[in-house]
């Protein structure tokens, strides 16, 4: 399972996007950042996928692979290329067409925490520890990463995390909204899978519309955009809407068509 440092596989109706460097606490290499956009495209192209679980084998991720920093930050060109790869990888996860859930166990630090923040929801085990640590390394956290953090925990708590570089335990992460569920370590994976599988019973058009509309609101839209209006109009004309009405009338579970 560990011959490929990052991969995805189908688990029923779920896509599981897994970091597989357990000996390095799933430190994310430059090659792994660069692989993310293609992997996300493959997931989006699979019509059977209802939701995505993002996880690590063992710990979630200790962050970017610091052993590569001498190479990836060797000069201006390599720095620009590496930073672009990180931004593109996280943007691809954020833009996934399906709901995404980060399954956080153990360390979730730096770029690993950034990866979790690119997901729609975060389920954490009770012993998880989360933090963002550029202040410990003399680095600046990127704008898109900071935007996601502020949108999740608010400006004051984002400042605390970035100023201090401290690690939060799962209880504090839940209290400030950094994670959405905390369960015992042995219960968090079943809970995340149960929740993700429940989304397979919902209308895909509805899930997609909700995700895109919330993203538009967070980006500053205060009224319909062309995309959100089109999503709403398409839903009212869809076979899934007709099926939802019929199922309600007939008092049976709906059988949505999918993509």
């Amino acid at each position: 399972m560990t011959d490929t440092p990052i991969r995805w596989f189908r688990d029923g109706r779920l896509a599981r996007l897994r970091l597989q460097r357990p000996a390095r606490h799933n430190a994310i290499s430059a090659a792994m950042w660069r692989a993310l956009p293609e992997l996300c495209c493959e997931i989006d192209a699979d019509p059977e996928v209802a939701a995505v679980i993002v996880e690590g084998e063992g710990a979630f991720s200790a962050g970017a692979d610091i052993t590569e920093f001498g190479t990836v930050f060797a000069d201006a060109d390599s720095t620009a290329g590496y930073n672009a790869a990180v931004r593109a990888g996280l943007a691809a996860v954020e833009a996934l067409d399906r709901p995404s859930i980060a399954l956080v166990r153990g360390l979730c630090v730096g770029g690993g925490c950034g990866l979790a923040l690119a997901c729609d929801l975060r389920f954490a085990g009770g012993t998880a520890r989360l933090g963002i640590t550029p202040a410990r390394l003399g680095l600046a956290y990127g704008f898109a990463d900071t935007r996601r953090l502020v949108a999740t925990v608010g400006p004051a708590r984002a400042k605390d995390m970035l100023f201090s570089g401290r690690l939060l335990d799962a209880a504090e992460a839940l209290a400030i909204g950094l994670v959405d569920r905390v369960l015992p370590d042995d219960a968090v994976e079943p809970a995340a899978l149960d929740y993700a599988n429940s989304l397979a019973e919902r209308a895909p058009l509805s899930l997609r519309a909700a995700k895109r509309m919330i993203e538009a609101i967070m980006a500053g839209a205060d009224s319909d955009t062309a995309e959100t209006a089109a999503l709403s109009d398409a839903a009212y004309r869809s076979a899934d809407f007709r099926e939802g009405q019929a199922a309600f009338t007939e008092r049976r579970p709906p059988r949505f068509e999918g993509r």
Side-chain angles (χ1 to χ4, degrees):
M1 293 278 289
T2 59
D3 55 337
T4 302
I6 184 170
R7 70 182 186 108
W8 79 275
F9 60 95
R10 279 268 304 279
D11 181 6
R13 295 293 309 279
L14 306 182
R16 300 184 70 164
L17 178 59
R18 180 175 290 172
L19 308 179
Q20 297 187 156
R21 297 181 79 195
R24 298 294 312 280
H25 303 292
N26 294 315
I28 307 172
S29 67
M32 292 163 73
W33 290 120
R34 294 189 178 100
L36 274 170
E38 182 176 351
L39 293 171
C40 291
C41 284
E42 292 174 3
I43 291 170
D44 273 344
D46 188 331
E48 295 301 314
V49 170
V52 183
I53 298 287
V54 180
E55 61 190 326
E57 185 177 338
F60 186 77
S61 174
D65 188 347
I66 295 177
T67 65
E68 293 185 338
F69 280 11
T71 301
V72 298
F73 296 130
D75 54 41
D77 288 343
S78 61
T79 297
Y82 176 77
N83 286 337
V86 175
R87 288 194 299 270
L90 294 175
V93 173
E94 185 177 40
L96 280 164
D97 203 28
R98 281 69 157 184
S100 58
I101 301 165
L103 173 53
V104 178
R105 294 169 290 200
L107 290 175
C108 180
V109 181
C113 195
L115 178 61
L117 283 165
C119 298
D120 296 313
L121 297 170
R122 286 153 292 283
F123 284 42
T127 62
R129 300 175 72 204
L130 302 94
I132 300 173
T133 55
R136 295 176 179 266
L137 297 169
L139 297 173
Y141 205 45
F143 179 84
D145 308 280
T146 304
R147 173 186 60 77
R148 294 185 191 101
L149 179 63
V150 171
T152 303
V153 304
R157 287 163 176 156
K159 288 176 183 177
D160 171 38
M161 290 181 66
L162 292 173
F163 290 171
S164 68
R166 65 190 181 89
L167 299 187
L168 284 63
D169 62 24
E172 184 178 3
L174 179 65
I176 69 171
L178 183 60
V179 300
D180 302 288
R181 308 275 198 285
V182 172
L183 298 105
D185 288 342
D186 60 356
V188 66
E189 181 174 358
L193 294 177
D194 284 348
Y195 181 86
N197 277 308
S198 75
L199 301 183
E201 301 172 5
R202 307 296 183 257
L205 283 174
S206 299
L207 300 182
R208 188 183 307 117
K211 182 166 178 169
R212 297 300 175 230
M213 288 186 186
I214 292 168
E215 288 171 355
I217 291 166
M218 296 307 297
D222 57 7
S223 61
D224 254 340
T225 66
E227 181 187 16
T228 60
L231 284 167
S232 181
D233 291 345
Y236 285 108
R237 297 192 303 269
S238 70
D240 278 353
F241 181 44
R242 293 191 294 275
E243 168 62 12
Q245 293 178 83
F248 181 83
T249 300
E250 297 165 13
R251 299 188 179 185
R252 60 170 174 80
R255 296 182 292 272
F256 295 120
E257 290 186 352
R259 295 293 116 188

